Amino acid sequence: MRTTEICVIGAGPAGLCAAIAARRAGAQVTCVDSGDRPGGQLVKQTHKFFGSRGQFAGKRGMDIARILAAQIENDPMVDLMLESTVIGIYDDGAMGIEHEDSLTFIKPACMVCATGASERMLAFPGNDLPGVYGAGAVQTLMNVYGVRPGKSVLMVGAGNIGLIVSYQLLQAGVEVAAVVEAMPEVGGYDVHARKIRRAGVPILTSHTVKAVHGARTVEAACVWALGSDFQPIPGTERAFQVDTVCLAVGLAPLADLLWQAGCKMAYIPELGGHVAIRDEDYRTSRPDIYVAGDLAGIEEASSAMIEGTIAGIAAARSLGHSTRDSEEMLATARAQLDALRAGPKGEKVRKGIDRLMRLGREVGVVA
């Protein structure tokens, strides 16, 4: 069985930053990812980030992925295992990794789980017709493989993902017939919503999909209004002649490995579902397991990168690795997270984290 000091599971924004931070602190790192290149969702993101320079403001997600990957790809102290899937974390701390039909076992001293999230789907008549996609699949088709998903799209969901993917569809020459959102307000940033509206795309809040129609593939979609009780209002139906319906209705943390590893979990709706109870260092109830990114709670890629940095530094420190500026870097990262979560848009996440910390104190995970 192979050994390593820190195994990072997932080479998306959180995992890459965790690997970089742990390595800078002096730890030996193994980073495992099922994809064929590092970067996770960043490799699909053609839009420019905003915020602070520390989170690569002004750079496109796909470029950020290259910048982060370059910091570990040629480092002899980092073993980057691509097209490899962690299939289990066992009681003795070992993990099984599948690669090209063979199984490898690695026993790390500790690990940072940054497995990301899965897309949520909606139940409605016709949701199994070819032409109904999740937003992640649409991004993969367009931004990774250069394939347009259709000629005319109905976008479902006006959070940041729905708004950004709508704009990317427009840039690719695809008509966006409308964006529908069940909530009474747009959930994404105003800057993204304004770009969509300036392009002439209506955003219908308090609306949802009634049904999608087509003989063999999507040919039309029907939406209807929702009342204040979120019940459909008969007689408000509107039909759109589209060949694609894109669902951007939220994400759920991919927590299967944490359940299997026996981490204490909690259902926190504000963070996207079941998440591990963890402390401010992102250490779970299993002292050898840290979490970061969407797995720790659904937020933006900028937050994921900062969380990865915190978890990487903390994991390395738990093994006796640190530098003179480790504590300063931790303090800076925590201040950056607070800034990202400030304001009305961050209220939901702040509320979820407050609940998580209270639970953590009750079960002894948080001091």
Side-chain angles (χ1 to χ4, degrees):
M1 181 182 296
R2 293 165 54 183
T3 60
T4 187
E5 287 193 300
I6 296 174
C7 185
V8 177
I9 307 173
L16 285 175
C17 287
I20 292 167
R23 176 66 192 93
R24 284 180 178 169
Q28 178 196 19
V29 176
T30 298
C31 186
V32 185
D33 193 275
S34 59
D36 62 359
R37 71 190 80 173
Q41 298 302 309
L42 288 174
V43 303
K44 307 175 184 178
Q45 295 176 356
T46 57
H47 63 282
K48 292 182 178 178
F49 279 43
F50 51 83
S52 67
R53 290 180 60 188
Q55 282 70 59
F56 304 100
K59 294 191 179 299
R60 302 183 190 280
M62 54 200 298
D63 296 326
I64 297 172
R66 295 190 189 100
I67 293 169
L68 295 176
Q71 297 181 55
I72 63 169
E73 283 180 320
N74 298 314
D75 188 328
M77 289 293 286
V78 178
D79 182 12
L80 179 60
M81 300 177 63
L82 297 175
E83 298 182 297
S84 302
T85 302
V86 176
I87 60 170
I89 299 172
Y90 307 108
D91 291 343
D92 63 353
M95 58 175 60
I97 300 173
E98 187 274 334
H99 174 70
E100 293 184 344
D101 295 328
S102 65
L103 190 58
T104 300
F105 290 93
I106 293 180
K107 188 169 185 178
C110 71
M111 61 194 84
V112 178
C113 290
T115 50
S118 61
E119 292 187 272
R120 295 186 184 278
M121 293 291 116
L122 277 182
F124 51 79
N127 72 347
D128 57 346
L129 278 172
V132 178
Y133 293 89
V138 167
Q139 280 191 305
T140 301
L141 280 174
M142 288 196 305
N143 302 339
V144 178
Y145 298 110
V147 176
R148 283 183 289 201
K151 296 178 180 177
S152 182
V153 174
L154 175 73
M155 178 63 68
V156 184
N160 281 325
I161 293 177
L163 296 174
I164 289 171
V165 174
S166 292
Y167 192 69
Q168 292 172 346
L169 285 161
L170 292 169
Q171 289 178 308
V174 179
E175 177 196 5
V176 179
V179 178
V180 298
E181 167 60 53
M183 299 298 288
E185 297 178 352
V186 171
Y189 292 132
D190 290 341
V191 62
H192 298 315
R194 286 197 297 269
K195 288 166 70 175
I196 298 301
R197 288 187 170 116
R198 282 200 300 271
V201 178
I203 300 177
L204 307 176
T205 54
S206 296
H207 278 71
T208 191
V209 180
K210 180 179 182 181
V212 171
H213 306 285
R216 296 174 62 88
T217 62
V218 173
E219 298 175 9
C222 180
V223 306
W224 54 359
L226 298 172
S228 58
D229 57 356
F230 288 94
Q231 293 302 305
I233 302 174
T236 61
E237 289 87 348
R238 296 177 60 177
F240 292 93
Q241 301 302 308
V242 295
D243 60 9
T244 304
V245 174
C246 182
L247 303 178
V249 292
L251 302 170
L254 269 173
D256 307 69
L257 286 174
L258 300 179
W259 284 104
Q260 191 229 348
C263 295
K264 291 181 179 177
M265 307 292 288
Y267 182 71
I268 309 289
E270 296 88 349
L271 299 180
H274 282 98
V275 294
I277 298 175
R278 48 86 177 172
D279 64 12
E280 290 186 342
D281 285 342
Y282 290 81
R283 193 178 204 175
T284 71
S285 57
R286 262 191 64 160
D288 59 336
I289 298 180
Y290 293 73
V291 292
D294 281 345
L295 177 62
I298 305 300
E299 291 187 73
E300 299 296 317
S302 298
S303 304
M305 288 188 279
I306 300 172
E307 291 178 344
T309 298
I310 293 173
I313 293 173
R317 186 176 59 186
S318 74
L319 302 179
H321 295 293
S322 63
T323 62
R324 284 184 295 181
D325 60 355
S326 290
E327 293 306 316
E328 182 179 346
M329 290 175 63
L330 272 177
T332 300
R334 291 192 174 107
Q336 290 173 335
L337 265 186
D338 289 342
L340 284 175
R341 293 166 177 164
K345 293 291 186 184
E347 182 179 0
K348 179 180 172 184
V349 170
R350 295 197 304 272
K351 184 178 176 182
I353 291 174
D354 286 345
R355 288 184 60 190
L356 193 63
M357 290 296 110
R358 283 198 300 273
L359 285 171
R361 284 188 284 273
E362 290 174 11
V363 300
V365 173
V366 177

